[in-house]
Amino acid sequence: MNPPSQPASGFDATKTILPVVAAVSFVHLLNDLIQAILPSIYPLLKTEYSLSFAQIGLITLCFQLMASMLQPAVGLYTDKHPKPYLLPAGMVFTLVGLVLLATSSSFAGLLTASALIGMGSSTFHPEASRVARMASGGRFGFAQSFFQVGGNAGSAFGPLLAAAIILPRGLDAILWFTLFAMLGIAVLSAVSRWTIRSGASLKGSKKQPHFSHLTPAQVKGALLVLAVLVFSKYIYMAALTNYYTFYLIEKFALSVADAQLYLFVFLASVAFGTFVGGPVGDKIGRKAVIWISILGAAPFTLLLPYCNLAWTALLSVLIGLVLSSAFSAIIVLAQELVPHKIGLVSGIFFGLMFGISGIAAAGLGAWADHSSIVQVVDYCAYLPLLGLVTALLPARRKL
């Protein structure tokens, strides 16, 4: 996984440096696998600490808000002052958070652990996204999807490993996952060394003039539309990612272990859909992918409440495949709209993703306490209809 080293004069922004993109994607897998431990062990935490759904939502909120608030600041700062070694440094926070999560004896300790894991995520995402773009060779959608699919694969494997390792052995078994954090630190240290040795930067890469005809007000309007699309996508994804196991347990009386397997299948479909979205966007355009992804998921989400277990599993896979293909297209489109502030834009949209997911998790958890998790998921089915605002996105100028 060690990226190749190059002399500073040899860096070519037109060539895709696949080992580098693969390295940050691999660590994205490790990072998001670790993050996926939190929702995967919620049933165990709920029992061990006698937590309510609202408290479970607060754990997610603490993690997501810490990640979301710091990411734009990290991106803005590193746009002006690149800090390659922030990547491995961020993973150190994740490592400390894991240790605390395994050894905590209070709800406050759980909140602190989730905050530390969020801090690690906040430094990783904007910087790693920048590295993926630097090494893309102009294949921005491909590189972003490759980077994103690592995270989604980690999110899929996290529940599976949690079910196999943590649920049978208890919370102490979380310490095994510190090995993943240490591996991530090692790989990111190699990526940082490559960045320094090669002289790689975004300064030599081709700026995307597709939206240079837009006024600043039009650019802001387009970014707002993209934010609404992220809102619709990630509130629904928060409902399934955080509460899908509870939904299956409540509606179909599944065991925790069986529900985790269904969650793994759903998250695996999310990973595959993410990988497809970027390259397709390179060929047919980001706006077309967003249309298909957000609004295209609506028929499946609206049918889900009326299905038996088999059809629920099938529809959740289709929802994961379709809905997940949008985020890479949204990120790259946002970067094309503001090509001179890649770190800031990446930080804002990754932060927006985490922030919306966290707030939604807390709000949906409180809602579930007063009604039922089945009702929550059923009502969230209407959110993909907000994909209609895609019509307001500007057209790219043909070059």
Side-chain angles (χ1 to χ4, degrees):
M1 294 302 300
N2 287 348
S5 61
Q6 299 173 329
S9 60
F11 176 69
D12 187 349
T14 66
K15 293 182 179 179
T16 302
I17 306 173
L18 192 58
V20 175
V21 180
V24 292
S25 179
F26 174 68
V27 180
H28 201 183
L29 183 153
L30 298 177
N31 182 80
D32 285 23
L33 184 154
I34 292 169
Q35 292 178 24
I37 291 174
L38 273 173
S40 299
I41 63 172
Y42 282 166
L44 183 60
L45 293 177
K46 193 173 190 298
T47 301
E48 290 284 328
Y49 293 90
S50 300
L51 303 180
S52 66
F53 279 120
Q55 287 176 307
I56 289 173
L58 284 173
I59 293 174
T60 303
L61 176 64
C62 190
F63 159 70
Q64 303 281 29
L65 284 185
M66 183 59 70
S68 64
M69 290 192 311
L70 291 180
Q71 287 197 49
V74 171
L76 178 62
Y77 179 75
T78 55
D79 276 336
K80 298 178 180 179
H81 311 284
K83 301 292 182 183
Y85 280 105
L86 272 179
L87 283 172
M91 190 60 75
V92 172
F93 286 110
T94 301
L95 176 62
V96 176
L98 272 178
V99 173
L100 184 58
L101 184 63
T103 58
S104 176
S105 59
S106 67
F107 180 63
L110 296 179
L111 293 179
T112 304
S114 65
L116 286 169
I117 295 172
M119 288 177 65
S121 183
S122 69
T123 55
F124 171 77
H125 284 96
E127 281 302 286
S129 182
R130 183 202 306 276
V131 170
R133 190 173 178 90
M134 285 192 300
S136 69
R139 300 167 65 192
F140 302 125
F142 166 77
Q144 189 61 44
S145 280
F146 199 159
F147 170 65
Q148 281 295 114
V149 78
N152 287 331
S155 295
F157 283 110
L160 197 63
L161 291 178
I165 298 173
I166 300 174
L167 294 182
R169 297 172 176 82
L171 295 175
D172 290 345
I174 294 173
L175 291 172
W176 285 102
F177 288 80
T178 60
L179 297 175
F180 294 129
M182 288 186 280
L183 177 59
I185 291 169
V187 175
L188 290 178
S189 296
V191 170
S192 297
R193 290 194 296 271
W194 169 81
T195 303
I196 294 169
R197 287 198 300 261
S198 68
S201 72
L202 291 170
K203 293 180 180 179
S205 62
K206 181 183 176 183
K207 302 298 182 185
Q208 296 299 299
H210 300 292
F211 298 104
S212 58
H213 62 292
L214 300 181
T215 65
Q218 289 174 319
V219 170
K220 291 178 182 178
L223 292 173
L224 181 60
V225 171
L226 292 177
V228 171
L229 292 168
V230 171
F231 173 89
S232 68
K233 168 181 165 59
Y234 279 99
I235 291 183
Y236 187 80
M237 291 295 286
L240 286 192
T241 303
N242 291 286
Y243 300 111
Y244 190 48
T245 53
F246 294 110
Y247 178 81
L248 295 173
I249 291 168
E250 183 174 322
K251 188 171 183 179
F252 301 109
L254 294 185
S255 68
V256 173
D258 287 343
Q260 293 283 17
L261 290 176
Y262 280 93
L263 178 61
F264 167 73
V265 172
F266 165 70
L267 293 176
S269 71
V270 171
F272 184 76
T274 299
F275 181 72
V276 171
V280 171
D282 284 338
K283 292 183 179 181
I284 71 172
R286 323 291 175 205
K287 187 173 179 178
V289 170
I290 294 169
W291 264 121
I292 296 168
S293 177
I294 305 292
L295 193 60
F300 305 125
T301 63
L302 292 170
L303 281 173
L304 189 67
Y306 307 100
C307 294
N308 60 22
L309 179 59
W311 279 102
T312 294
L314 176 60
L315 284 179
S316 66
V317 168
L318 293 175
I319 291 167
L321 286 171
V322 176
L323 197 56
S324 63
S325 62
F327 190 65
S328 294
I330 289 172
I331 283 285
V332 175
L333 182 55
Q335 291 173 340
E336 290 177 346
L337 285 164
V338 194
H340 55 290
K341 294 182 179 179
I342 297 299
L344 175 61
V345 169
S346 299
I348 287 174
F349 276 87
F350 277 111
L352 188 63
M353 175 188 73
F354 281 105
I356 288 173
S357 298
I359 294 170
L364 295 176
W367 183 6
D369 281 333
H370 289 89
S371 57
S372 72
I373 200 65
V374 172
Q375 184 185 87
V376 168
V377 174
D378 290 353
Y379 276 96
C380 286
Y382 294 92
L383 285 167
L385 292 175
L386 285 173
L388 289 168
V389 302
T390 303
L392 301 177
L393 288 173
R396 301 170 82 198
R397 186 178 66 181
K398 294 184 179 180
L399 303 179

